[in-house]
Amino acid sequence: SINSRPNSEGYNNRGNTLMKFQRYSEALSDFNLAILLDPSNDKAWSNRANLKAVLEDLEGAYNDYKKLILLSNDNLDKSEAYQFIGWY
């Protein structure tokens, strides 16, 4: 359980599930906790950026995508981030 042993991946995974059910406020909280517990978790940065874009927090999404570019070794994540930044 996340509550007994908090970890970044657990919060990130739960955030993804919450996002699928459009429970955006709770998902954002989980992505924030995932990043707080492990600031190098590029998947959490990506997920939070995507959620912020859905919520039309474009400046927040932009800043998260910029951080993702610095952290990620995944070219697909970087491509998505560059695409958003170019659009923004």
Side-chain angles (χ1 to χ4, degrees), residues 25-77:
S25 178
E26 293 166 277
L28 183 60
S29 292
D30 276 0
F31 295 141
N32 289 338
L33 285 168
I35 290 167
L36 183 66
L37 289 168
D38 180 4
S40 69
N41 184 339
D42 59 334
K43 296 299 180 193
W45 284 100
S46 175
N47 291 330
R48 190 173 79 172
N50 292 335
L51 176 55
K52 286 180 177 181
V54 167
L55 296 174
E56 297 183 4
D57 173 7
L58 301 183
E59 185 175 347
Y62 174 83
N63 290 328
D64 283 359
Y65 281 127
K66 281 180 22 181
K67 183 71 174 183
L68 174 62
I69 289 168
L70 296 174
L71 290 174
S72 183
N73 292 323
D74 184 321
N75 287 333
L76 185 60
D77 281 346

